[in-house]
Amino acid sequence: MRKWTLILALLILVIFSSGCINSDVSRMDQLASTINDHLKEGDSYYNQAVASTNKLQYEQALTQGNNAFSEFDLGRSSTQEALIYARNSEKQVYIDYFQLTLQELDLRLNATSELKMAIPYLQGNETTNANQHLDLANDYMKQSVALATQKDQLVQQNVALFK
């Protein structure tokens, strides 16, 4: 009788622990989808802000920049949560993926901030200061794209782990 109780307890423990691992992976999948949505929306708003800036529509550019920042920030929050699940899963590939995503979003937030800082200088015809901020925005965005490429390579190398 004692032997069966021990076997049943071990079976329950195995089922519980595998359920926790699967729920971490499942939750990371859900969050990854949310993060990608925020990245896409943020990119769209950012590109609109750049286009509006080029058309000298500064108020519109600021609004779109604020929207981009909000989307990237929401993506960052979701990524921080996903990184906790990744660490719990103890799978280095997931940890690396979400760390790269976090760095990517930080760079996009910085790019957006620089773009928004350039706009008042453009409005005041202070092109030297505006160009400094615009150059920084471009540099941050280029670095962000490089990290996105690294992320894509990580996914390609580990297709079975990413659905």
Side-chain angles (χ1 to χ4, degrees):
M1 179 74 160
R2 185 174 169 171
K3 188 176 182 181
W4 286 107
T5 305
L6 181 60
I7 291 172
L8 181 61
L10 286 173
L11 184 61
I12 290 172
L13 181 63
V14 168
I15 291 170
F16 175 74
S17 65
S18 68
C20 289
I21 292 170
N22 286 336
S23 67
D24 283 347
V25 172
S26 171
R27 188 66 182 127
M28 283 187 288
D29 286 343
Q30 292 170 349
L31 286 166
S33 176
T34 300
I35 293 162
N36 286 332
D37 289 344
H38 288 303
L39 273 166
K40 286 178 188 173
E41 286 295 315
D43 285 345
S44 177
Y45 282 123
Y46 183 86
N47 291 334
Q48 290 171 23
V50 169
S52 294
T53 300
N54 289 336
K55 294 176 186 173
L56 309 178
Q57 299 168 339
Y58 298 127
E59 293 304 317
Q60 189 172 355
L62 280 173
T63 299
Q64 292 160 335
N66 288 334
N67 291 340
F69 192 91
S70 294
E71 288 293 334
F72 292 141
D73 195 44
L74 288 168
R76 189 180 194 290
S77 297
S78 295
T79 303
Q80 288 174 316
E81 184 181 346
L83 188 54
I84 292 168
Y85 289 110
R87 288 184 175 133
N88 288 343
S89 79
E90 298 180 357
K91 291 197 184 260
Q92 192 61 43
V93 172
Y94 291 135
I95 295 168
D96 293 345
Y97 178 85
F98 288 115
Q99 285 177 333
L100 286 169
T101 304
L102 197 57
Q103 293 170 2
E104 176 188 0
L105 282 159
D106 283 341
L107 288 166
R108 288 176 192 252
L109 284 164
N110 289 340
T112 305
S113 292
E114 291 296 334
L115 176 62
K116 288 172 34 178
M117 283 191 272
I119 292 171
Y121 289 118
L122 290 168
Q123 289 172 314
N125 281 333
E126 296 179 46
T127 55
T128 302
N129 289 328
N131 286 336
Q132 288 175 342
H133 289 290
L134 292 172
D135 288 344
L136 282 172
N138 287 333
D139 289 344
Y140 284 132
M141 198 53 80
K142 284 179 189 175
Q143 292 174 44
S144 173
V145 170
L147 286 175
T149 301
Q150 277 185 286
K151 249 179 27 181
D152 290 342
Q153 291 171 347
L154 185 65
V155 170
Q156 292 302 319
Q157 294 166 355
N158 300 280
V159 174
L161 293 176
F162 295 92
K163 297 174 185 165

